[in-house]
Amino acid sequence: GAVVSQHPSWVICKSGTSVKIECRSLDFQATTMFWYRQFPKQSLMLMATSNEGSKATYEQGVEKDKFLINHASLTLSTLTVTSAHPEDSSFYICSARREGSYSEQFFGPGTRLTVL
Amino acid sequence: LAKTTQPISMDSYEGQEVNITCSHNNIATNDYITWYQQFPSQGPRFIIQGYKTKVTNEVASLFIPADRKSSTLSLPRVSLSDTAVYYCLVGQKGGATNKLIFGTGTLLAVQP
């Protein structure tokens, strides 16, 4: 149990296009999901906290208009990278906190974004 | 959120016990200590969590001294497949958002 999936697992796009990444909790409901970004040989950096039915909370320095987050249901959150540029190329990872649970978060497998 | 400090890297050999220590001097009363493992190009995987003394599960043990200002993750008899980055995180159980802030992590390299 407690499986989180991400789609796609990797994506290559041209500069200026928008890319949507999905994060799904497959066997549990998640009122809160988190989005992270990880550059090569670096740690995970929290981008935003996604709450079902409400606006996401972004970390300082993360542009909310560039990284659009939608948490429309208890099992799905999406991250859209708008007008992507090469510097947005990174490994994007989501996590989900099971409704009613405490601190354990379940992470997705990540999505590798490459912007040409 | 309490900041954590870990060694950047550690080397070990197959079959040895590995102990990774994490410092968290500013840990709060309500904070728990959680360790995650991450392989390249994968999401982190939960290893173990504890509040005080000792916690053991099928993959690791977590030792927390009385002052809780540090913790040690112990991996018994490591194998090559244990080569990964290990993150120590400190945060409260419960709460509205329960953010996890990752530090630098420790890259464990297991050699044959």
Side-chain angles (χ1 to χ4, degrees):
Chain A
V3 178
V4 176
S5 70
Q6 285 185 236
H7 178 80
S9 56
W10 60 270
V11 57
I12 301 173
C13 69
K14 293 181 179 180
S15 184
T17 61
S18 295
V19 175
K20 179 184 285 188
I21 302 171
E22 293 184 349
C23 176
R24 293 181 184 273
S25 55
L26 298 184
D27 51 3
F28 66 97
Q29 293 185 328
T31 51
T32 305
M33 291 183 172
F34 303 86
W35 287 95
Y36 298 82
R37 180 167 55 181
Q38 186 174 34
F39 293 108
K41 298 188 184 300
Q42 293 187 24
S43 183
L44 285 79
M45 185 194 79
L46 179 65
M47 299 176 66
T49 301
S50 170
N51 297 298
E52 187 266 338
S54 64
K55 292 183 178 180
T57 302
Y58 291 81
E59 294 300 305
Q60 190 173 10
V62 178
E63 302 175 59
K64 61 180 65 177
D65 293 332
K66 181 167 185 62
F67 299 100
L68 301 179
I69 292 173
N70 184 283
H71 194 152
S73 76
L74 287 173
T75 59
L76 173 65
S77 175
T78 60
L79 168 69
T80 301
V81 183
T82 62
S83 186
H85 291 283
E87 57 266 30
D88 298 323
S89 297
S90 187
F91 193 52
Y92 291 87
I93 306 170
C94 73
S95 71
R97 184 165 70 97
R98 182 160 40 192
E99 186 179 19
S101 75
Y102 293 108
S103 60
E104 184 177 353
Q105 292 184 20
F106 303 95
F107 285 82
T111 297
R112 175 76 58 191
L113 170 63
T114 302
V115 185
L116 301 177
Chain B
L1 296 171
K3 181 179 177 180
T4 60
T5 303
Q6 306 173 230
I8 295 296
S9 63
M10 292 183 69
D11 293 321
S12 182
Y13 292 93
E14 280 191 295
Q16 289 188 334
E17 177 184 77
V18 171
N19 296 308
I20 306 174
T21 298
C22 177
S23 297
H24 28 78
N25 293 316
N26 296 323
I27 190 169
T29 304
N30 295 331
D31 285 342
Y32 281 71
I33 301 154
T34 310
W35 286 79
Y36 283 83
Q37 175 193 55
Q38 186 184 28
F39 297 111
S41 296
Q42 293 186 28
R45 183 177 73 100
F46 173 90
I47 301 176
I48 198 166
Q49 182 182 72
Y51 183 81
K52 62 180 180 180
T53 60
K54 176 183 175 182
V55 179
T56 298
N57 61 23
E58 62 275 11
V59 297
S61 295
L62 178 60
F63 298 93
I64 306 168
D67 66 4
R68 302 196 333 118
K69 293 184 183 299
S70 67
S71 59
T72 299
L73 174 71
S74 181
L75 304 173
R77 296 180 299 282
V78 294
S79 63
L80 296 177
S81 62
D82 292 317
T83 294
V85 178
Y86 293 82
Y87 293 98
C88 161
L89 293 93
V90 173
Q92 290 188 17
K93 252 191 174 184
T97 61
N98 202 41
K99 298 192 295 187
L100 291 180
I101 305 298
F102 284 77
T104 57
T106 297
L107 174 58
L108 172 65
V110 180
Q111 301 178 33

